[in-house]
Structures are given as C-alpha cells and as structure tokens.
Amino acid sequence: MKSSATKTFLREAKDSDLELMLAWNSNPEVPRYLPSRPETLTWELHFSWWKSRQHRMDWVIMVDDKTTRPRAVGAVHIRDLNMAPEIGLYIGEVTLWNRGTGKKALELAMEWAWQHGISRLQAVVHPRNKRSHRLFEGLGFARTGTGRKGQWRYERGRPAG
C-alpha cells in the first residue's frame, strides 16, 4: 500500500473516535507493549481515561490512499505538555505495520511540538518492542536510560535552526 499516492496526516482526536480506539486496543497485538494498559480494557475504563486527560494533545492518524475516503488507522499523542513532554503512538490497523505510517505520524506530531515551543521530547518503549526501538532511533531519538515500569527511555531535542 505504500505508494507516492498515499498521504498520512493527523487530525485532532475527538469523542467520536473513542469506539474505534477501544476496538484497536481490544486486539491483543496492538497494546501488547503499552506500559499502562489494564489487563481488560472496558468501555468504562476507556471513557474515564479519555475524560481525565490533561496537559496532552491527541491525534488520530489518517491515511488517504486515493482508493476510498481517508480512514483512521491509529493514534499518536504528546502527554505531559506542562512538564517533560512524552510522545507515543500505536497503529490500530495492523496491515499498516512496517509501512512507514507510524514514522510519518511521529514526524508530524514532532513538527507540531517544535512549532509550539517544545524543545525536548521523550518516549518510553518496552524493552522487547524492537519495531519501536528502530522507529525512535531512526527519528533521531537517543536511549537515555530506563523509564517507568522498566521501559527504555529515549529523548530528542528540537533541531537547530
């Protein structure tokens, strides 16, 4: 599906995205390496989390391959905007794994961060999540230590200029 006609873009997440996000997270392969996901994700827990969010920006990752209308395929966020901003994502449409969609989504979210005066981003990645390690390292993040729950911490500063 990766072709020059495919466009990846972000749109701000909204309440109407919650059902799709819950469906993505109900696939055991999608949240396998997420650090804070409960064993069983119920609608009540998901909705409560959504309403309690503060100091963060959430987007839905959209793909337009010109064959149908643009569709939602995952989510990206920057949390802790008021302290040490942390970026993360997941691709809910598993057929798009390893296709560059996550990389493009992170690049777009990072550009938003730099434009909004954020000078440093961090990410935490499960030690066994090899795809995410390659992804963040490929985007210029450096491993700086261990984060919460044994996750590896990566950091990257805003480019000069």
Side-chain angles (χ1 to χ4, degrees):
M1 172 166 151
K2 185 155 173 115
S3 73
S4 58
T6 300
K7 179 180 179 187
T8 301
F9 60 98
L10 304 179
R11 70 162 171 73
E12 193 169 338
K14 52 191 180 224
D15 290 352
S16 60
D17 296 315
L18 285 178
E19 288 181 41
L20 183 55
M21 293 167 125
L22 179 62
W24 288 330
N25 279 285
S26 294
N27 175 345
E29 288 301 306
V30 172
R32 180 176 12 174
Y33 298 120
L34 298 179
S36 58
R37 184 185 180 275
E39 183 71 28
T40 302
L41 184 59
T42 64
W43 173 255
E44 292 76 17
L45 285 171
H46 186 58
F47 185 76
S48 175
W49 163 79
W50 179 259
K51 291 301 181 183
S52 70
R53 297 170 310 128
Q54 294 182 20
H55 308 292
R56 62 183 285 145
M57 188 67 194
D58 289 271
W59 297 274
V60 171
I61 303 166
M62 302 293 294
V63 169
D64 184 357
D65 60 8
K66 307 291 187 213
T67 59
T68 61
R69 62 181 174 80
R71 68 186 189 283
V73 300
V76 63
H77 70 269
I78 301 176
R79 59 182 258 170
D80 299 329
L81 290 169
N82 61 330
M83 300 180 338
E86 180 182 309
I87 193 168
L89 87 154
Y90 63 89
I91 303 297
E93 189 172 315
V94 297
T95 61
L96 292 180
W97 286 4
N98 299 315
R99 302 278 183 118
T101 306
K103 179 180 181 185
K104 181 61 178 173
L106 283 173
E107 289 171 341
L108 292 167
M110 289 164 49
E111 183 60 32
W112 179 92
W114 309 146
Q115 289 175 358
H116 285 82
I118 295 172
S119 61
R120 186 156 217 70
L121 286 170
Q122 58 184 337
V124 292
V125 179
H126 192 284
R128 292 189 311 259
N129 192 342
K130 292 181 184 354
R131 276 195 307 264
S132 286
H133 292 290
R134 285 191 306 270
L135 175 60
F136 283 102
E137 289 167 2
L139 288 169
F141 282 76
R143 184 172 169 205
T144 58
T146 304
R148 65 184 177 279
K149 295 186 179 182
Q151 306 284 318
W152 291 4
R153 179 172 310 285
Y154 285 87
E155 293 186 28
R156 177 182 168 179
R158 177 176 39 203

